[in-house]
Amino acid sequence: MHEDGNGGGRGGESHLSGSGVNQPEFLALERELTVLLRRARANQGEMAREVHPDLESSAYGLLVRLGECGGQRATDLAAFIGVGKATMSRQLRALEDLGLVAREPDPADGRAWLVTLTPEGQERVGRVREARRARYARRLADWDPREVTELARLLHELNRGMER
């Protein structure tokens, strides 16, 4: 575990002064996240094309969400992805046209619809995600499994922190 010069604790933002963001650790964090995000965007496009050649890159995350969480209302999907209702409607129409998602009545509210992966969508998304995990396993084969676990934990903490 790294110490931050303040006793190793999580002092929140209190130790950041006006120029605190120029500290070397934040500069390094920005640089590494920029590289990671650039690669992630490129990989998302590749994965989307592997699911279906006509799939938009931005729709891949939507399919993953449906695969992980099951049926979701379009409004919930839009909020999770961070897009408006019109954009979500357009993406869902395109995914329906590709045979990857279907809409079904929400059993909790007959006026609402749930979006679900079709069996074909489940198979395609599952195959691509499995291949992605295999790539991670190959690229990190020389890492200690505890380091992979720690990286996953830290990324989870980062994602939780970004939601605030």
Side-chain angles (χ1 to χ4, degrees):
M1 193 54 104
H2 298 287
E3 295 210 6
D4 64 4
N6 292 328
R10 291 183 181 196
E13 295 180 22
S14 61
H15 69 279
L16 292 180
S17 63
S19 64
V21 296
N22 291 322
Q23 294 174 357
E25 63 268 22
F26 291 107
L27 295 170
L29 176 63
E30 177 194 22
R31 180 179 48 253
E32 296 305 325
L33 282 176
T34 298
V35 171
L36 179 66
L37 293 172
R38 187 178 332 117
R39 286 185 177 147
R41 277 191 295 276
N43 286 337
Q44 184 169 327
E46 291 172 20
M47 291 181 289
R49 286 185 295 280
E50 288 177 31
V51 170
H52 193 285
D54 297 328
L55 183 64
E56 289 183 30
S57 166
S58 60
Y60 178 77
L62 181 60
L63 295 175
V64 169
R65 176 72 174 181
L66 289 170
E68 290 179 345
C69 298
Q72 303 273 298
R73 289 184 179 190
T75 53
D76 295 334
L77 288 168
F80 178 78
I81 301 292
V83 298
K85 188 176 177 181
T87 299
M88 182 55 56
S89 293
R90 183 184 57 76
Q91 283 188 339
L92 291 176
R93 247 188 332 278
L95 291 171
E96 283 178 299
D97 291 346
L98 295 175
L100 301 173
V101 302
R103 296 178 202 235
E104 55 189 46
D106 183 345
D109 181 353
R111 300 167 297 164
W113 294 86
L114 295 178
V115 179
T116 61
L117 288 177
T118 63
E120 180 179 357
Q122 290 173 350
E123 188 276 324
R124 287 176 179 245
V125 171
R127 182 173 23 88
V128 170
R129 292 189 75 199
E130 187 175 321
R132 180 175 59 171
R133 285 190 304 275
R135 279 194 300 267
Y136 290 156
R138 283 191 307 273
R139 290 179 180 163
L140 301 177
D142 58 340
W143 284 39
D144 183 296
R146 291 174 301 218
E147 292 175 317
V148 176
T149 299
E150 180 66 1
L151 176 60
R153 186 190 70 75
L154 290 170
L155 288 171
H156 177 76
E157 287 296 317
L158 177 65
N159 286 325
R160 283 186 49 211
M162 295 298 185
E163 289 175 357
R164 292 184 212 139

